[in-house]
Amino acid sequence: MSDCASIWRRYDADERRLTGAVSERMLDLGLLRPGMQVLDIATGRGEPAIRAAKRVAPNGAVLGVDVAAELLAMAAERAADEDVTGLELRVADAHSLEGVPRGRFDVALARWGLMYFDDPIAALDSIRLALRPGGRLVAAFWAEPELVDYIHVPRSALASLMALPPIDEDVPGTFRYAHRERIERDLASVGFLVNHVEERWTPVMEASTDDELIAWTRSFGMQRLLVDLPDPMQRAWERRLIETAEPLWKDGRLRLGGVTRLVVADRPG
Ligand SMILES: C[S@@+](CC[C@H](N)C(=O)[O-])C[C@H]1O[C@@H](n2cnc3c(N)ncnc32)[C@H](O)[C@@H]1O
């Protein structure tokens, strides 16, 4: 099993519980109902595809695609556990969506996926072509870095100890679409019409001890920045992280998350 898959096995159930409301809201914005054909881009461990399949049952269908076969295997296990029908999971690159029917889907979903692609405009164009005329894309992005605690808090703890490279919003990563104008521009460039944007705060991690906070943070977001640091610096960062997060604890529990931006765009009919 790859490192990425073993990390996800550890945190999957928690993340599903914490972020489920975002997926459900995406399905509301997509106006999902029984009988619809839905495409979930970069579905990973099956979000929001598995929930979508429940909404479009009994006669609708969902196709979830991702490049990571190991994550799709986790999605398939969950779908089987939840007795989900009408869901196909397929390895496919969102840039070309090779083999995915064109003009078929009523709704395309992409939760926290597009910003990680090498060429998101190519992917957006492929998604548009997969939709039927009048079809709708609902996508989720992370907002500006200072609104995204799960990265901002551990990063600022490290930034208080050493100079950090600035976040590069021009390369694939969490913040590529942190600015609303960027995604609106790229959607328009391939012919989508943006009809709704909203923001909501969502938790992505929950800790009940400092060790849990450190372990989660090392797994998500900080791996690359920490990997080459000498041990004393790592320990200093851990202490600083605990201090920085201290005011955020409530009732013996710490949640970190961020503002996620949900964007709805239509393929003109
Ligand atoms: C942050 S995860 C989001 C997964 C899921 N949608 C969710 O919300 O839990 C990003 C996903 O994008 C997938 N991905 C990255 N590049 C891709 C590409 N070119 N085509 C399809 N999927 C891709 C990754 O494998 C990963 O599963």
Side-chain angles (χ1 to χ4, degrees):
M1 195 190 304
S2 71
D3 286 355
C4 170
S6 66
I7 286 171
W8 275 123
R9 286 214 175 259
R10 178 169 174 193
Y11 292 110
D12 183 45
D14 283 347
E15 211 228 30
R16 193 189 306 170
R17 171 174 57 85
L18 294 167
T19 67
V22 172
S23 290
E24 295 293 343
R25 180 63 185 153
M26 292 176 72
L27 306 186
D28 292 344
L29 291 170
L31 308 175
L32 261 69
R33 57 178 187 277
M36 278 185 157
Q37 298 288 318
V38 177
L39 175 64
D40 186 20
I41 301 291
T43 190
R45 294 158 294 118
E47 286 284 354
I50 291 172
R51 295 169 195 273
K54 293 177 186 174
R55 291 230 198 163
V56 302
N59 49 348
V62 177
L63 173 60
V65 299
D66 200 285
V67 284
E70 275 179 308
L71 299 182
L72 291 179
M74 291 177 68
E77 275 174 39
R78 176 178 161 199
D81 283 351
E82 297 184 19
D83 290 327
V84 169
T85 56
L87 172 66
E88 183 191 347
L89 297 163
R90 202 189 282 179
V91 174
D93 191 323
H95 292 102
S96 57
L97 288 179
E98 213 178 309
V100 172
R102 292 186 166 206
R104 152 87 63 93
F105 297 93
D106 301 297
V107 178
L109 305 165
R111 193 183 85 154
W112 301 323
L114 284 156
M115 59 279 220
Y116 300 106
F117 298 171
D118 291 335
D119 185 349
I121 294 183
L124 286 170
D125 200 35
S126 298
I127 295 167
R128 184 183 59 82
L129 291 171
L131 286 168
R132 65 166 171 76
R136 165 169 287 204
L137 167 65
V138 184
F141 305 95
W142 290 107
E144 290 79 355
E146 62 280 10
L147 301 177
V148 180
D149 277 359
Y150 82 88
I151 291 184
H152 184 63
V153 169
R155 228 186 115 82
S156 54
L158 190 57
S160 70
L161 299 168
M162 59 182 271
L164 293 185
I167 291 172
D168 185 348
E169 296 178 8
D170 289 321
V171 299
T174 311
F175 297 112
R176 188 175 201 162
Y177 283 125
H179 294 277
R180 176 178 171 165
E181 316 78 63
R182 282 194 170 213
I183 184 59
E184 292 192 357
R185 178 200 63 197
D186 287 357
L187 283 163
S189 76
V190 300
F192 274 107
L193 295 174
V194 175
N195 73 32
H196 178 79
V197 179
E198 68 179 44
E199 292 174 359
R200 60 187 293 145
W201 189 84
T202 181
V204 295
M205 74 79 72
E206 191 174 76
S208 49
T209 64
D210 290 336
D211 286 348
E212 285 175 11
L213 164 67
I214 290 165
W216 187 94
T217 311
R218 283 188 176 281
S219 300
F220 295 95
M222 293 299 285
Q223 263 164 338
R224 256 175 297 166
L225 287 173
L226 293 172
V227 71
D228 292 327
L229 294 185
D231 208 49
M233 185 62 120
Q234 304 250 358
R235 300 287 89 79
W237 167 75
E238 289 177 357
R239 286 191 297 274
R240 199 55 70 85
L241 172 63
I242 291 166
E243 285 162 19
T244 314
E246 219 255 297
L248 304 172
W249 285 82
K250 207 173 159 214
D251 301 329
R253 194 178 64 176
L254 172 70
R255 283 181 161 188
L256 293 181
V259 172
T260 192
R261 192 167 282 134
L262 303 182
V263 177
V264 181
D266 292 333
R267 173 180 178 171

